[in-house]
Amino acid sequence: MDEYSRFVDWDKMDVSAQSQDTKELTCTDLQELKQLARQGYWAKNHSLRAKVYHKLISNIPCRTVTPDANVYRDIVVKIIGKRNSSSLPLPEFVDNSLIPTYCLNAEGVGAVRKIILCIANQFPDISFCPALPSVIALLLHYSKDEAECFEQVCRILACNDPSKRLIDQTFLAFESSCMTFGDLVNKYCQAAHKLMVAVSEDVLEVYSDWQRWLFGELPMAYIARIFDVFLVEGYKVLYRVALALLKFFHKVRAGQPMESDSIQQDIRAFVRDIAKSVSPERLLEKAFAIRLFSRKEIQLLQMANEKALQQKGITVKQKSLLNYCFSVFCRVFLRQNVHLAVHAENFKSEIVSVKEMRDIWSWIPERFALCQPLLLFTTLEHGCSLSRFYSHSEGHEPTLLLIKTTAKEVCGAYLSTDWSERRRGGNKLSFFGTGECFVFRLQPEVERYEWVIIKHPELASAGSETENHAQPASSTLSSSSIPSDPSDRLSPFLAARHFNLPSKTASMFMAGSSECIIVGGGDGQALYLDADLNHGRTSHCNTFNNQPLCSESFQISILEVWGFRD
């Protein structure tokens, strides 16, 4: 049909969705390109989409020496020779990934393998890239020949813009992206996350499939629309769409019995057959309706997850087969640790059961879910003293606070920051912490509350005089205390000192002094504890008709603080 049809099997393509109208793309403004990509401006014209892909990929900043079409023509004969490409083993970095055929003809299917092998020859530093076969297969639909497709894929792989992330090429990058996706699900898809925890022994194993949903299971019409936007907006789009897929899965399958013994298989089957329930337009609409974090915030979260993996022994580059095998071993080991972090034989709490602790573990950031709980403080052993609470908790980050009231209520808080940070305020009530803090209730019903910032009158204006002793009763919860300039604050997830950023970027989620503790939870929930650790109270509003954290005023029966041990 056009010069870009060489590898296309038009019997598989939905020709009725293709327009023959002659269109051109002349705009260069990024915001306008975003709108056009999201609207599918070039989605119904095969030739126009091919030209747009070529233009967008040509504008990707790359390394000085990036293999091009001429390189492919020089090496393909040497690498493939006269052998049938289907008989040649694929490089290990594709991790036995599916090689989707989409709407390729027989020549196109063979070309995918040839291009993968030539890329392996030119990019020896790639150690793990399971999305590559899908990207090559997709671009072949819009390429004049194999060499042109090879050049476009090489430009994507060789992108050297530090602010522009495209395709994961190492095991570390891939696995940290899976952990980051798990963190995002935990925040933005809580109903789906609750289902995953209920039916899966290892939620990280489920979330590690997220790229496969996109680059492997999705039908051609869907991944092409996603790729349209991806080339303009970058990696964040992939997170958006994967979250939307999970939301739709939960909506469609909620209350229905599982169709297989594995939730992973059920999600894969749903994504493969997504046309039965969701159109590409509706999927993208849902994806962009999610008020996701900024690109910078996601990047910081990814960095934190990478750091956690590195501390577990995963290296950035794994070139040899030995290192590759070691990475796979670590991957399995880490995933097992996520489920086995709370060992029934080693865990003993007077407040929560092993199952309840595992539920809490499913809420915490993925990088800490790799650790095991370590009891630091309990009023049964250490007494009801706030000073002893601090002395046993300091030096540990993060920590978990558990409270059982005399009325048999059980609540608690995940505290992201070391309590020693409170000393920066001297004798005053000092605010610190990050947006990863949250409060929760286990008894009488399970509920986790999203974070909000503690707003305190003494800190209402920068540089104002503050009193030595704050009045906790006047504390309120509000998101309005976030600085108006987003460039002047850190991601609500990560502590400023982790990235050597100015202290003014730190948020206010925890507060501590010699007289009290305040923890800001979410949906209007806050937890206040007196210095004697015998009495506490909550502040809440039912904005979203949530049940309160616990009684407005309560007596503490037992209080425990848990740390995280590697």
Side-chain angles (χ1 to χ4, degrees):
M1 295 178 67
D2 57 43
E3 59 184 329
Y4 300 100
S5 300
R6 174 176 171 180
F7 303 109
V8 178
D9 183 343
W10 287 100
D11 290 335
K12 297 178 183 178
M13 273 283 214
D14 184 4
V15 182
S16 63
Q18 294 294 310
S19 170
Q20 301 304 315
D21 295 341
T22 302
K23 287 184 177 181
E24 296 294 335
L25 185 70
T26 57
C27 78
T28 56
D29 179 71
L30 180 60
Q31 290 303 317
E32 187 176 353
L33 275 173
K34 283 184 179 181
Q35 290 302 316
L36 293 175
R38 293 185 184 189
Q39 294 167 6
Y41 179 81
W42 53 80
K44 293 186 177 181
N45 188 301
H46 189 84
S47 179
L48 178 60
R49 177 180 262 161
K51 293 174 182 177
V52 172
Y53 280 4
H54 181 77
K55 180 178 180 179
L56 293 175
I57 294 173
S58 296
N59 290 332
I60 294 175
C62 297
R63 300 195 291 253
T64 304
V65 180
T66 299
D68 58 14
N70 290 327
V71 170
Y72 181 81
R73 297 185 184 101
D74 289 340
I75 66 174
V76 66
V77 176
K78 300 175 184 176
I79 294 173
I80 308 299
K82 296 181 179 181
R83 293 173 292 178
N84 187 331
S85 60
S86 62
S87 65
L88 299 176
L90 291 177
E92 290 166 335
F93 64 66
V94 300
D95 192 38
N96 295 318
S97 300
L98 297 175
I99 300 184
T101 58
Y102 296 132
C103 300
L104 292 174
N105 56 27
E107 183 183 6
V109 173
V112 174
R113 298 180 71 92
K114 291 165 65 176
I115 295 172
I116 291 175
L117 291 167
C118 289
I119 285 175
N121 175 267
Q122 293 295 302
F123 289 84
D125 54 333
I126 296 180
S127 61
F128 201 80
C129 193
L132 185 61
S134 176
V135 172
I136 294 173
L138 177 63
L139 287 176
L140 267 174
H141 292 77
Y142 305 98
S143 301
K144 295 178 181 178
D145 55 33
E146 295 172 12
E148 182 179 87
C149 180
F150 170 84
E151 179 174 326
Q152 292 191 45
V153 176
C154 287
R155 292 194 65 82
I156 292 173
L157 294 172
C159 175
N160 63 357
D161 183 348
S163 66
K164 195 178 186 71
R165 180 176 182 172
L166 294 176
I167 297 180
D168 296 330
Q169 299 175 43
T170 66
F171 176 79
L172 176 63
F174 173 81
E175 194 71 0
S176 62
S177 77
C178 296
M179 294 170 67
T180 301
F181 179 69
D183 288 327
L184 297 177
V185 173
N186 204 348
K187 178 168 179 61
Y188 292 103
C189 305
Q190 291 188 21
H193 181 67
K194 188 175 182 179
L195 174 64
M196 300 302 118
V197 172
V199 302
S200 173
E201 291 186 349
D202 187 350
V203 291
L204 182 55
E205 183 75 26
V206 177
Y207 298 150
S208 291
D209 246 10
W210 79 278
Q211 289 195 28
R212 175 174 175 152
W213 303 341
L214 306 178
F215 297 110
E217 303 293 356
L218 273 177
M220 169 73 182
Y222 291 75
I223 187 59
R225 283 299 308 277
I226 295 165
F227 206 75
D228 293 346
V229 188
F230 167 73
L231 286 178
V232 178
E233 300 190 35
Y235 201 89
K236 184 179 175 180
V237 171
L238 304 182
Y239 282 132
R240 284 187 177 279
V241 176
L243 289 171
L245 285 171
L246 204 55
K247 282 178 175 286
F248 278 121
F249 172 80
H250 179 262
K251 180 180 180 181
V252 173
R253 296 292 178 84
Q256 298 182 13
M258 290 178 58
E259 296 183 355
S260 70
D261 294 333
S262 166
I263 189 70
Q264 280 181 288
Q265 296 300 328
D266 275 17
I267 297 176
R268 291 174 185 176
F270 171 79
V271 175
R272 281 196 300 271
D273 298 330
I274 193 170
K276 296 178 180 178
S277 52
V278 182
S279 67
E281 292 73 24
R282 182 74 184 96
L283 179 62
L284 286 175
E285 180 184 337
K286 185 76 169 179
F288 287 105
I290 300 171
R291 299 186 64 183
L292 204 58
F293 311 126
S294 71
R295 186 175 287 104
K296 178 182 178 182
E297 290 170 334
I298 292 177
Q299 183 180 17
L300 289 173
L301 186 56
Q302 182 101 8
M303 288 167 57
N305 285 329
E306 286 189 2
K307 182 178 179 181
L309 286 169
Q310 286 174 316
Q311 290 173 343
K312 291 290 184 179
I314 304 296
T315 56
V316 177
K317 292 184 179 180
Q318 295 135 5
K319 296 183 180 179
S320 70
L321 178 60
L322 178 62
N323 279 337
Y324 175 81
C325 293
F326 174 71
S327 73
V328 173
F329 167 78
C330 288
R331 183 179 181 183
V332 173
F333 176 76
L334 288 174
R335 288 183 181 170
Q336 288 177 339
N337 265 3
V338 173
H339 175 56
L340 300 177
V342 185
H343 295 278
E345 62 273 17
N346 298 329
F347 175 76
K348 180 174 175 57
S349 167
E350 300 299 326
I351 299 178
V352 298
S353 66
V354 171
K355 181 185 181 303
E356 288 173 324
M357 195 61 152
R358 284 176 175 167
D359 287 342
I360 297 170
W361 234 244
S362 73
W363 297 334
I364 66 177
E366 293 286 0
R367 63 188 184 278
F368 296 119
L370 304 176
C371 304
Q372 297 180 32
L374 173 67
L375 184 62
L376 303 176
F377 173 86
T378 171
T379 51
L380 293 179
E381 179 181 344
H382 302 106
C384 299
S385 165
L386 186 55
S387 62
R388 283 196 290 272
F389 169 96
Y390 285 139
S391 65
H392 285 272
S393 302
E394 287 177 3
H396 296 271
E397 182 180 289
T399 54
L400 192 68
L401 175 68
L402 298 176
I403 297 171
K404 185 175 183 177
T405 72
T406 54
K408 307 300 182 183
E409 298 167 307
V410 175
C411 62
Y414 171 80
L415 307 170
S416 64
T417 306
D418 191 332
W419 277 107
S420 63
E421 291 287 306
R422 79 188 192 285
R423 295 180 179 176
R424 298 171 64 178
N427 293 325
K428 304 170 186 176
L429 186 64
S430 176
F431 293 85
F432 52 98
T434 75
E436 284 184 321
C437 293
F438 62 86
V439 293
F440 55 87
R441 184 185 70 229
L442 295 176
Q443 297 291 343
E445 296 178 357
V446 177
E447 183 76 43
R448 188 191 76 164
Y449 302 91
E450 279 300 301
W451 62 267
V452 293
I453 292 177
I454 301 173
K455 182 180 179 183
H456 204 270
E458 283 81 355
L459 300 181
S461 58
S464 63
E465 293 295 325
T466 59
E467 299 177 6
N468 286 340
H469 300 291
Q471 299 299 320
S474 65
S475 296
T476 61
L477 294 176
S478 171
S479 60
S480 62
S481 56
I482 300 175
S484 59
D485 181 3
S487 66
D488 194 36
R489 64 185 177 90
L490 179 64
S491 159
F493 285 100
L494 306 166
R497 63 187 181 81
H498 289 165
F499 300 97
N500 298 316
L501 295 178
S503 60
K504 66 179 181 179
T505 61
S507 300
M508 299 180 292
F509 300 89
M510 302 161 58
S513 70
S514 59
E515 297 185 352
C516 68
I517 285 174
I518 303 176
V519 178
D523 294 337
Q525 303 289 339
L527 183 64
Y528 167 85
L529 303 180
D530 288 332
D532 59 9
L533 296 185
N534 278 319
H535 180 262
R537 58 183 181 268
T538 60
S539 168
H540 68 271
C541 61
N542 291 323
T543 308
F544 301 103
N545 297 318
N546 281 320
Q547 295 298 314
L549 184 62
C550 61
S551 302
E552 188 170 345
S553 180
F554 57 87
Q555 293 292 324
I556 298 174
S557 173
I558 308 172
L559 183 148
E560 296 175 348
V561 179
W562 292 80
F564 293 72
R565 179 179 61 196
D566 289 338

